[in-house]
Amino acid sequence: MDSDTTADPEMGKEIDLQNVLVNIASIGPDADRDTLISTIDRSIEAIIVALLAEEDPKAPSADLAKTAATTMQFLEACAETDDKDFRDHIANRARELLAVLTSGKRPEAEPEPADLSLEVRHDVFEEAFADYFCDYIYSRLQEFHVGQNDPSPAFILKPAFADRFVKAVREFVLPGMMANRRIRNMSDSVAQKKFHQAQFFGEFSKPVEENVVRLIWNSIMDDFASTLRDSEPGKEGKKAKPEKKKGGLLGGLKKKKEKTATKTAKTVAGSNEKADGFWAVLQEGVKAGEYDAPKVEDIAIFAVLMDYFQEIIDENKDAVRQLLEQEMGVEDEEMDREGREGATRDWIYKMVPNLPPHLGELLVLWCFHTYKELFKPSIAKSFLAGQGTSDDARQRAVPYFFRWFNPADYPHEDVNPFADEVNVIGGEDED
């Protein structure tokens, strides 16, 4: 075979190796990326076939070596493009051509990356369940994390809170879950070869009516909330009215014995100790100045964390950012577009009531802190104003956004709302 030409394996035509770059340059300026990639691929393949046909591919003829070197320079220039997918594709083709020039053969195909979600790292069901449940809960909270330097004291936005929350779950929630009969039954039905993340995350993500773990989690959170409410300072649990004694002295003794048995059963279950221990761990971050103090009513968020699916969260985050960009508009050499005022406000009005409890308002809060250059305080104020005609109504509608967004903190639209950081978590600015 003439070293200057080779057959095009796809098109059945001959490509002049000395004019490979001319072939690429012949593509019109309006050609799409796929056409450009296809032409480059055919040209690279032609050079590789010609190299492998040489007696020593590592020391090809002068003309072929020159063509290969010039092509490599062209591929390096392609790396300057802003298109990441295109850059990655060109980088792979460059590595393939370089491998032929240095080793005299095509590189071996790289094995498919292992799916870490299918990796079995536990021999015991209880250990796998505990680790993956903590991972699952952390991943729900992680969706609301903002930068470490963000001044907001809202605990839901802080990685430190997520760390302490998972610690509290592992120590005070999981033992009760593992003791539940339904979880014990689950342990008997899952083979050891399936002790991997995909299996457990699949269980945790099942629909509500089929999700045993969610049912138990919700029940424990409800129990903790009830116990903590009863033990709040200045509050006493409701006492049932004493019933009139029936059947004389023996009737009274019987009633007293039943009451004692009930109290003993609750003590053995340890619900008070677990709730108090769980709450104490969360308050450690408050003492350390990491975030503001969670309130007992905030357990309403924790109870529905398993209903917050990452796909839904990511979809709405992306939608809000795109709408914010539309409102701001784009002005550059290639595009001049006016923003559509009210687009973000209209979207979040619809988003909040259609998502699981509190998820919508927490996403609005996250977006406000994350997209600082786009999410103007006026949009946040407009959203809050649309939740009711009074502060009481707005607080009922979006209690967490109402709690952590104070319109009075942003009196002027042109002021950077995050210029002055809060010096004391949960406190006031020094000004």
Side-chain angles (χ1 to χ4, degrees), residues 347-420:
W347 174 270
I348 58 182
Y349 275 170
K350 297 176 181 177
M351 177 184 75
V352 170
N354 290 328
L355 294 180
H358 309 300
L359 176 56
E361 59 178 303
L362 294 177
L363 283 177
V364 176
L365 184 72
W366 181 89
C367 290
F368 177 69
H369 284 269
T370 303
Y371 306 144
K372 298 174 183 178
E373 75 284 5
L374 300 171
F375 205 131
K376 303 302 181 184
S378 59
I379 301 176
K381 292 178 182 179
S382 177
F383 163 70
L384 186 60
Q387 303 305 309
T389 57
S390 67
D391 280 349
D392 286 343
R394 295 173 191 126
Q395 186 173 22
R396 289 193 300 270
V398 285
Y400 298 106
F401 188 82
F402 184 91
R403 173 169 156 194
W404 287 313
F405 173 78
N406 182 5
D409 291 340
Y410 314 103
H412 304 294
E413 183 62 26
D414 57 344
V415 174
N416 179 357
F418 301 97
D420 298 322

Side-chain angles (χ1 to χ4, degrees), residues 155 279 292-303 400 403-404:
F155 65 81
W279 204 241
D292 65 350
K295 302 176 182 179
V296 174
E297 55 263 33
D298 296 335
I299 293 181
I301 297 178
F302 311 153
Y400 298 106
R403 173 169 156 194
W404 287 313

Side-chain angles (χ1 to χ4, degrees), residues 127-362:
E127 293 177 358
F129 184 99
D131 284 351
Y132 289 128
F133 185 76
C134 286
D135 290 346
Y136 189 81
I137 291 297
Y138 187 88
S139 70
R140 306 304 94 177
L141 293 170
Q142 190 175 32
E143 292 292 336
F144 304 107
H145 290 171
V146 296
Q148 293 284 354
N149 296 325
D150 191 284
S152 172
F155 65 81
I156 197 68
L157 303 179
K158 300 297 184 179
F161 174 79
D163 292 337
R164 294 188 185 277
F165 187 83
V166 169
K167 175 185 175 183
V169 168
R170 185 179 289 276
E171 187 170 352
F172 297 102
V173 176
L174 278 169
M177 296 185 78
M178 300 306 304
N180 189 281
R181 174 180 55 83
R182 295 186 177 185
I183 302 300
R184 294 200 305 271
N185 290 342
M186 184 188 298
S187 70
D188 295 333
S189 64
V190 179
Q192 195 273 335
K193 64 181 181 181
K194 290 189 176 181
F195 288 178
H196 49 60
Q197 185 194 76
Q199 170 68 30
F200 286 93
F201 273 34
E203 288 289 341
F204 305 150
S205 302
K206 282 183 176 180
V208 174
E209 61 274 8
E210 304 173 18
N211 199 325
V212 172
V213 180
R214 181 195 178 282
L215 178 65
I216 298 170
W217 166 262
N218 193 262
S219 176
I220 292 175
M221 289 296 106
D222 286 347
D223 287 346
F224 280 8
S226 177
T227 299
L228 292 168
R229 277 194 298 267
D230 289 346
S231 62
E232 281 185 300
K235 291 188 178 182
E236 295 182 1
K238 294 182 179 179
K239 297 181 180 180
K241 294 181 179 179
E243 297 182 7
K244 293 182 179 180
K245 295 181 180 180
K246 297 181 180 179
L249 179 61
L250 292 178
L253 289 174
K254 184 178 181 181
K255 179 66 66 177
K256 186 175 181 180
K257 182 178 181 181
E258 290 174 353
K259 185 175 181 180
T260 303
T262 300
K263 182 176 181 181
T264 302
K266 187 169 185 178
T267 302
V268 171
S271 60
N272 289 341
E273 290 81 358
K274 291 177 181 177
D276 291 343
F278 176 85
W279 204 241
V281 173
L282 302 189
Q283 302 306 311
E284 290 174 1
V286 180
K287 297 175 183 177
E290 296 169 340
Y291 46 78
D292 65 350
K295 302 176 182 179
V296 174
E297 55 263 33
D298 296 335
I299 293 181
I301 297 178
F302 311 153
V304 294
L305 276 178
M306 293 185 68
D307 296 339
Y308 294 177
F309 295 115
Q310 182 174 341
E311 300 80 14
I312 301 298
I313 292 174
D314 291 343
E315 176 185 329
N316 282 281
K317 284 180 178 179
D318 291 343
V320 171
R321 181 172 184 89
Q322 291 172 14
L323 291 165
L324 286 168
E325 290 173 344
Q326 286 182 25
E327 287 209 46
M328 176 173 285
V330 176
E331 294 183 6
D332 55 34
E333 295 179 356
E334 298 180 357
M335 183 180 297
D336 185 359
R337 182 181 69 215
E338 293 184 0
R340 182 167 68 85
E341 185 177 356
T344 308
R345 178 198 60 204
D346 293 344
W347 174 270
I348 58 182
Y349 275 170
K350 297 176 181 177
M351 177 184 75
V352 170
N354 290 328
L355 294 180
H358 309 300
L359 176 56
E361 59 178 303
L362 294 177

